[in-house]
Amino acid sequence: MKIIDGKVLAQNLRAEIAEKTAKLKAEKGVTPGLAVILVGENPASVSYVTAKEKACVEAGMFSLPINIPVPTDNGDATLLSRQIENKLLSTIAELNADPKIHGILVQLPLPKGVDEKKIINAIAPEKDVDGFTPVNVGRMLIGERCFLPCTPHGIIKLIEFSGMDLKGKHAVVIGRSNIVGKPVAVLLVRKETNATVTLCHTGTPDIGAFTRQADVVVVAAGRPNTLTGDMLKPGAVVIDVGVNRIPDATKPKGFRLVGDADFESCAKVASAITPVPGGVGPMTITMLLWNTLESALAAN
Ligand code: GUN
């Protein structure tokens, strides 16, 4: 059984990105710039955003962190949401027009009541390094050049890194989110990947019946123990996208992170599995840097 080390793959790719970034700087005097917008102080979001900013600087890029505070509650939730939306829209409009900025990322989820679709839609598609705008999602679906969404793209890279050739393999995806489940299914069925895909979700009565036929299982359900060893075919590859905080008094932060797969039982049956943390997580940020560099290259 092999642990698929996302940190190692991420490190290799980040070194390549840093090299290309330095070359762009030396040859054209251009530094790729990424604006990361965070609304409020959700602890998980703060931790993701901090990691993205740090990685950006380490790759030699320009990081512009933008924190939008949630206004004090005035008793009118609708008004509060509109205020946040207006602030976001004006910030995004400025960044869309700023030549120093090649990538714009709005950390999700946004506070309740804020129209996430409207906000994402305001990002210029050529700066949408998350690949979340309808334009980029559409381009991905029909196989046009676009920014691929970071986590799904990172997952494909991880499966390849594990040594598996996906051509003709059966991949089962658990979870149908717009950020992971649906796009990863799209990437897996592209001609160049050529896997056969089954997409399971909360409406699937017996997920195990499908995963037991799978050569690869990508689990992105947002729930611990969604995938257990008895649901796997021997030798399957498991990609665990889950990041769940479990209270644990023995840890300094009072919690530990677990994925959506029960690591212990899955590791006994699988041929390879990603750990949590240290699997998919580092790859998401790496593909974000990749897209930011691509954006800067395309603009210059
Ligand atoms: N929230 C959880 N994952 C992501 C991501 O990849 N990008 C953004 N912007 N928000 C997220």
Side-chain angles (χ1 to χ4, degrees), residues 1-6 154-155 158-159 161-162 217-219 237-242 259-261 263 266 270-281 283:
M1 210 284 304
K2 192 166 94 179
I3 304 276
I4 308 169
D5 193 336
I155 290 169
L158 273 173
I159 298 171
F161 179 64
S162 80
V217 181
V218 177
V219 57
V237 170
V238 175
I239 306 292
D240 188 351
V241 191
D260 290 349
F263 187 87
C266 287
S271 65
I273 183 169
T274 58
V276 177
V280 174
M283 286 306 294

Side-chain angles (χ1 to χ4, degrees), residues 134-166:
V135 168
N136 277 313
V137 176
R139 285 179 180 157
M140 173 183 65
L141 190 65
I142 61 176
E144 275 185 21
R145 206 180 147 76
C146 63
F147 291 120
L148 295 180
C150 304
T151 302
H153 194 189
I155 290 169
I156 301 294
K157 294 259 176 213
L158 273 173
I159 298 171
E160 289 168 357
F161 179 64
S162 80
M164 170 170 276
D165 179 3
L166 279 159

Side-chain angles (χ1 to χ4, degrees), residues 202-283:
T202 45
T204 308
D206 182 6
I207 291 177
F210 296 99
T211 54
R212 275 187 282 272
Q213 300 173 41
D215 302 301
V216 190
V217 181
V218 177
V219 57
R223 191 173 60 93
N225 298 317
T226 298
L227 185 71
T228 47
D230 60 305
M231 295 165 73
L232 290 174
K233 177 166 93 174
V237 170
V238 175
I239 306 292
D240 188 351
V241 191
V243 183
N244 306 292
R245 291 183 174 200
I246 302 289
D248 186 341
T250 69
K251 301 285 176 197
K253 289 186 177 163
F255 66 85
R256 69 191 150 87
L257 293 181
V258 301
D260 290 349
D262 171 40
F263 187 87
E264 209 180 325
S265 64
C266 287
K268 286 188 184 131
V269 188
S271 65
I273 183 169
T274 58
V276 177
V280 174
M283 286 306 294

Side-chain angles (χ1 to χ4, degrees), residues 52 105-108 130 132 151 179 284:
K52 288 172 187 180
L105 178 153
V106 177
Q107 187 64 30
L108 303 179
D130 253 336
F132 285 175
T151 302
I179 292 187
T284 294

Side-chain angles (χ1 to χ4, degrees), residues 44-241:
S45 290
V46 169
S47 127
Y48 293 141
V49 159
T50 308
K52 288 172 187 180
E53 289 159 2
K54 184 165 165 273
C56 193
V57 172
E58 279 170 3
M61 297 184 182
F62 166 56
S63 163
L64 178 63
I66 298 173
N67 295 317
I68 298 178
V70 174
T72 40
D73 194 348
N74 54 11
D76 185 340
T78 309
L79 179 66
L80 204 72
S81 300
R82 292 300 91 78
Q83 283 173 340
I84 297 172
E85 279 175 12
N86 289 338
K87 179 69 189 157
L88 274 166
L89 292 173
S90 62
T91 305
I92 292 168
E94 272 175 41
L95 296 168
N96 281 342
D98 186 342
K100 291 192 302 301
I101 296 301
H102 305 95
I104 303 169
L105 178 153
V106 177
Q107 187 64 30
L108 303 179
L110 289 169
K112 217 168 135 258
V114 175
D115 187 344
E116 223 159 71
K117 287 197 178 104
K118 187 159 101 184
I119 301 304
I120 296 301
N121 224 340
I123 301 171
E126 65 275 13
K127 295 193 178 186
D128 168 32
V129 288
D130 253 336
F132 285 175
T133 59
V135 168
N136 277 313
V137 176
R139 285 179 180 157
M140 173 183 65
L141 190 65
I142 61 176
E144 275 185 21
R145 206 180 147 76
C146 63
F147 291 120
L148 295 180
C150 304
T151 302
H153 194 189
I155 290 169
I156 301 294
K157 294 259 176 213
L158 273 173
I159 298 171
E160 289 168 357
F161 179 64
S162 80
M164 170 170 276
D165 179 3
L166 279 159
K167 286 184 184 60
K169 297 294 195 310
H170 182 198
V172 171
V173 178
I174 310 174
R176 58 177 150 188
S177 72
N178 289 332
I179 292 187
V180 185
K182 278 191 271 186
V184 87
V186 170
L187 295 185
L188 285 162
V189 292
R190 290 189 308 176
K191 270 262 167 66
E192 64 241 58
T193 314
N194 241 5
T196 300
V197 177
T198 301
L199 182 52
C200 298
H201 45 76
T202 45
T204 308
D206 182 6
I207 291 177
F210 296 99
T211 54
R212 275 187 282 272
Q213 300 173 41
D215 302 301
V216 190
V217 181
V218 177
V219 57
R223 191 173 60 93
N225 298 317
T226 298
L227 185 71
T228 47
D230 60 305
M231 295 165 73
L232 290 174
K233 177 166 93 174
V237 170
V238 175
I239 306 292
D240 188 351
V241 191

